[in-house]
Amino acid sequence: QVQLVESGGGLVQPGGSLRLSCAASGSILSINTMGWYRQAPGKQRELVTRVTISGYTDYADSVKGRFTISRDNAKNTVFLEMNSLKAEDTAVYYCNADITTFSRGRISYWGQGTQVTVSS
């Protein structure tokens, strides 16, 4: 069974920084794309950023230049460094990963979500 466990959310003042982590565990053969999505109250879940196994990244326009995604393939972990945070970044942030296992093949998995609140 595969699990994605996120950590690092919390309350931060505007202009501040946070670092999110997401570790995948279980009977994993390989992980392709890993990414972060977010969902603000009353809004649809949206892609924030993602990184392929080869290191290709893309970002939502709203976070370009402020957020940085990275991954540690040896530890099946993806990180999200968030700088210059704004009130509009407030949301629940979800980790997502395309993971291949023996039993289920390639499936997209989700973490449980971690709250990020940007407020003074």
Side-chain angles (χ1 to χ4, degrees), residues 59-72:
Y59 294 88
D61 287 343
S62 60
V63 306
K64 282 180 180 176
R66 301 188 298 119
F67 290 12
T68 303
I69 190 170
S70 60
R71 63 189 284 176
D72 183 335

Side-chain angles (χ1 to χ4, degrees), residues 25-73:
S25 63
S27 301
I28 296 171
L29 288 178
S30 64
I31 303 178
N32 194 348
T33 301
M34 304 184 81
W36 292 93
Y37 290 71
R38 67 186 180 186
Q39 188 166 18
K43 294 187 177 180
Q44 289 189 329
R45 190 174 298 188
E46 63 175 359
L47 173 68
V48 177
T49 179
R50 56 191 170 190
V51 57
T52 68
I53 192 169
S54 58
Y56 173 81
T57 59
D58 65 41
Y59 294 88
D61 287 343
S62 60
V63 306
K64 282 180 180 176
R66 301 188 298 119
F67 290 12
T68 303
I69 190 170
S70 60
R71 63 189 284 176
D72 183 335
N73 291 328

Side-chain angles (χ1 to χ4, degrees), residues 70-118:
S70 60
R71 63 189 284 176
D72 183 335
N73 291 328
K75 297 183 178 180
N76 292 336
T77 301
V78 64
F79 305 95
L80 180 62
E81 187 75 34
M82 303 184 292
N83 298 313
S84 301
L85 283 160
K86 306 175 181 179
E88 50 263 43
D89 295 318
T90 296
V92 178
Y93 284 70
Y94 296 91
C95 174
N96 174 265
D98 290 334
I99 297 176
T100 300
T101 63
F102 273 122
S103 60
R104 302 188 70 188
R106 180 170 169 174
I107 293 178
S108 180
Y109 290 86
W110 292 90
Q112 79 283 0
T114 185
Q115 178 69 47
V116 171
T117 302
V118 183

